[in-house]
Amino acid sequence: MNTTQIMQRILVWGAILAGAVAVVGGIVGWVLAEGAGLASALVGTALAIVFCMLTAGSILLALKASKGQMVSGAFFGIVLGGWMLKFVLFIVLVFVLGDQDWLHRGVAFGALVAAVIGSLVIDCVVIATSRQPVIDSAADDETQGRPASGARA
């Protein structure tokens, strides 16, 4: 499994998580605060999933732009740019949404936390089960895959 397939799997599982958090959060939000609770759960879920998906999306874009070379300026520039975009967007949204009367803060916070923790679990599980090789390059002709002389195996 290559890095692109790993990021695509994270995106698919992230979309499934978004649906689950939106449904459960919407039900809980409706019970706690009716329409405002439902809207808050959906807003909290959407924010968390957008921020989490920006990371995977920026890595996929960076891989394409850098032609698969993770150790390149283009790769790091795109990923760092995505993180900076998320930071600025988060600050703007905190100020814009923080004073809205229709937003139930507790429900939005709960949905946001559930989605972020869920996305972290997805990232860990997908990466841990991906069987991504540690070394992609072929063995040196000199050592033919064995440790160099004097090195311990």
Side-chain angles (χ1 to χ4, degrees):
M1 180 175 279
N2 63 25
T3 307
T4 302
Q5 292 169 326
I6 292 170
M7 292 300 128
Q8 289 171 345
R9 184 177 285 176
I10 287 172
L11 289 171
V12 167
W13 280 104
I16 294 168
L17 171 71
V21 172
V23 169
V24 173
I27 292 170
V28 171
W30 184 264
V31 169
L32 293 177
E34 295 181 351
L38 173 62
S40 300
L42 295 177
V43 167
T45 301
L47 291 177
I49 297 305
V50 165
F51 288 133
C52 296
M53 297 296 177
L54 274 173
T55 300
S58 68
I59 291 172
L60 286 173
L61 178 65
L63 282 171
K64 286 184 182 183
S66 67
K67 297 178 179 82
Q69 296 297 319
M70 287 186 167
V71 185
S72 76
F75 181 85
F76 287 114
I78 291 171
V79 173
L80 180 61
W83 288 343
M84 291 174 70
L85 172 68
K86 288 191 318 185
F87 178 72
V88 170
L89 188 60
F90 178 76
I91 296 297
V92 168
L93 288 172
V94 164
F95 284 113
V96 170
L97 293 175
D99 295 330
Q100 300 299 318
D101 293 333
W102 57 269
L103 188 74
H104 188 277
R105 290 183 184 189
V107 174
F109 178 75
L112 185 68
V113 168
V116 167
I117 290 174
S119 69
L120 291 174
V121 169
I122 287 171
D123 290 347
C124 291
V125 169
V126 169
I127 290 172
T129 60
S130 68
R131 296 184 173 253
Q132 176 75 8
V134 177
I135 300 173
D136 285 334
S137 62
D140 274 349
D141 289 338
E142 183 179 319
T143 62
Q144 298 174 351
R146 294 184 303 271
S149 61
R152 291 188 168 171

